[in-house]
Amino acid sequence: MKIVAQIKEPVSEEMEIFEKKFHEAMSSKVALLNRITYYIVNRKGKQMRPMFVFLTAKLLANGEVNERTYRGASVIELIHTATLVHDDVVDESNKRRGFFSINALWKNKIAVLVGDYLLSKGLLLSIDNGDFDLLKIISVAVREMSEGELLQIEKARRLDITEEVYYDIIRQKTATLIAACCSLGACSVKPESKEVEIFRKFGELCGMAFQIKDDLFDYGETKIGKPTGIDIKEQKMTLPLIYVLNTCSKQEKKWLINSVKNHNKDKKRVKEVIAFVKQHGGLAYAETKMMAFKEEALALLSTYPDSEYKNSLELMVNYVVDRKK
């Protein structure tokens, strides 16, 4: 049994119902929009985010979920999809999960409008049902994601990023959405309880570990996931590189920065950078940090009674750091 299927098992019924509700939440009177949203629904990924929502809710409510839980999962997926559609436009990316991106098939103008439409659908789903507490969680996540992306762009130009700034960037860019999923799940069944903050923190820790794992893929030998060296080519500052920049000699630092800034398209030079980062302990350091985030997340879970939902969340945390792509 594949690990993702194992994680999904305790919420498989809810996920099926969610699929239908999510599709309904996207519907429009405009035929073109319906064609595009149908395309989006049929090329979905692993759907980790709604799983986080349902597993958290069921863990805290003895296996029960309610309509608010479904709406929370739908809103987070609508908004996540909107950000992906917009990201593909910004990155001029023609592929997403092996399929053509919306901008590749329908051009940028339509892709931006579709992203805006999905965002507004998500916000209205909360407003129409008076889920203002859920709406606040999601709105904060959207704000932080935008700030994180802009912070990364601002810092990438200078390449003198500290580890602290790197954590700020990934906390906002990646971790905030997973944090929102878990706090939404908690808030849907236990509004205004301390669990809302505990599970927000749990999701954030998972997200931090997830992003560091992504950074490590850039130094992998295999072509699984993203090609090696792509972050270097895009001048993205990742944890292994930041660590080595902050620990190597002045001369080596100069060479590294020059390589990333001016020779990032040179395959041989990128390979040299990857080898240098490996030799100087960059990967080992990033792995240690990733494991620390994982352990902290598991420690938060350990205070809750055993259940299949807790097991699945533990599996999810381990999957985040063990995945192969």
Side-chain angles (χ1 to χ4, degrees):
M1 194 185 207
K2 270 185 160 170
I3 188 90
V4 178
Q6 213 177 328
I7 294 166
K8 195 175 179 175
E9 185 61 32
V11 291
S12 54
E13 233 173 275
E14 285 79 8
M15 290 295 286
E16 263 181 54
I17 299 167
F18 160 74
E19 292 274 319
K20 293 189 185 79
K21 288 181 183 284
F22 179 56
H23 203 167
E24 282 163 22
M26 278 184 161
S27 68
S28 154
K29 293 187 180 76
V30 179
L32 173 62
L33 249 175
N34 283 335
R35 262 211 316 282
I36 296 170
T37 54
Y38 180 79
Y39 177 73
I40 291 170
V41 168
N42 283 334
R43 54 179 196 119
K44 60 185 181 296
K46 297 186 196 83
Q47 293 193 300
M48 291 304 206
R49 286 159 194 85
M51 274 192 252
F52 269 119
V53 176
F54 290 119
L55 286 167
T56 305
K58 290 186 89 168
L59 172 78
L60 294 173
N62 299 321
E64 297 298 318
V65 297
N66 56 34
E67 281 305 313
R68 270 163 57 85
T69 316
Y70 285 109
R71 285 198 295 270
S74 292
V75 171
I76 209 98
E77 201 64 351
L78 281 164
I79 285 169
H80 173 57
T81 309
T83 61
L84 294 184
V85 172
H86 282 166
D87 277 353
D88 287 341
V89 174
V90 172
D91 298 337
E92 297 174 354
S93 176
N94 291 324
K95 285 280 176 81
R96 164 76 59 184
R97 298 191 191 113
F99 294 91
F100 283 113
S101 57
I102 304 298
N103 46 303
L105 293 172
W106 284 282
K107 302 286 179 279
N108 283 351
K109 186 176 182 179
I110 288 176
V112 170
L113 292 168
V114 167
D116 290 346
Y117 171 78
L118 294 172
L119 188 64
S120 64
K121 272 292 211 184
L123 301 177
L124 283 168
L125 186 59
S126 296
I127 292 166
D128 290 346
N129 293 283
D131 298 326
F132 298 109
D133 50 352
L134 304 186
L135 182 60
K136 185 173 183 185
I137 291 170
I138 287 152
S139 301
V140 167
V142 173
R143 182 196 70 204
E144 291 201 333
M145 283 156 69
S146 312
E147 284 180 348
E149 286 284 355
L150 288 162
L151 180 62
Q152 185 175 43
I153 292 165
E154 180 193 335
K155 296 294 178 186
R157 291 199 180 113
R158 308 224 321 260
L159 295 187
D160 61 349
I161 189 169
T162 63
E163 205 173 311
E164 275 318 299
V165 171
Y166 165 81
Y167 290 137
D168 282 344
I169 291 169
I170 69 167
R171 189 175 286 114
Q172 291 183 301
K173 235 188 79 168
T174 306
T176 194
L177 194 64
I178 299 174
C181 294
C182 298
S183 57
L184 265 181
C187 192
S188 72
V189 292
K190 287 200 164 184
E192 294 178 33
S193 67
K194 68 179 194 312
E195 266 73 32
V196 178
E197 173 53 26
I198 289 169
F199 277 88
R200 186 203 65 76
K201 185 68 184 164
F202 167 76
E204 186 182 273
L205 292 163
C206 289
M208 300 293 277
F210 182 93
Q211 186 55 53
I212 297 172
K213 179 69 173 181
D214 250 19
D215 288 359
L216 289 166
F217 282 138
D218 204 44
Y219 295 87
E221 304 298 334
T222 55
K223 287 283 183 217
I224 300 171
K226 50 184 187 175
T228 54
I230 200 161
D231 286 335
I232 295 164
K233 290 186 189 91
E234 291 175 2
Q235 299 188 14
K236 273 186 191 155
M237 298 302 284
T238 60
L239 189 54
L241 184 57
I242 291 163
Y243 171 77
V244 172
L245 275 172
N246 291 330
T247 51
C248 65
S249 71
K250 255 191 176 159
Q251 207 53 40
E252 289 167 330
K253 186 173 182 172
K254 211 173 155 185
W255 174 80
L256 266 179
I257 287 178
N258 182 33
S259 303
V260 176
K261 249 193 170 155
N262 305 314
H263 303 281
N264 54 12
K265 302 284 186 281
D266 175 346
K267 280 186 180 157
K268 185 172 169 284
R269 191 74 169 256
V270 169
K271 269 191 177 154
E272 285 169 9
V273 170
I274 289 172
F276 186 86
V277 170
K278 282 180 176 174
Q279 279 159 13
H280 289 74
L283 271 64
Y285 180 80
E287 268 176 30
T288 306
K289 288 290 178 185
M290 175 180 76
M291 288 307 183
F293 284 120
K294 178 189 107 162
E295 291 309 326
E296 216 184 315
L298 289 173
L300 281 180
L301 266 188
S302 68
T303 58
Y304 291 89
D306 288 342
S307 68
E308 54 182 331
Y309 317 114
K310 180 181 168 179
N311 289 347
S312 272
L313 283 170
E314 285 172 349
L315 272 175
M316 186 88 97
V317 180
N318 285 306
Y319 171 74
V320 160
V321 299
D322 296 335
R323 67 201 162 96
K324 298 287 180 275
K325 62 175 175 174

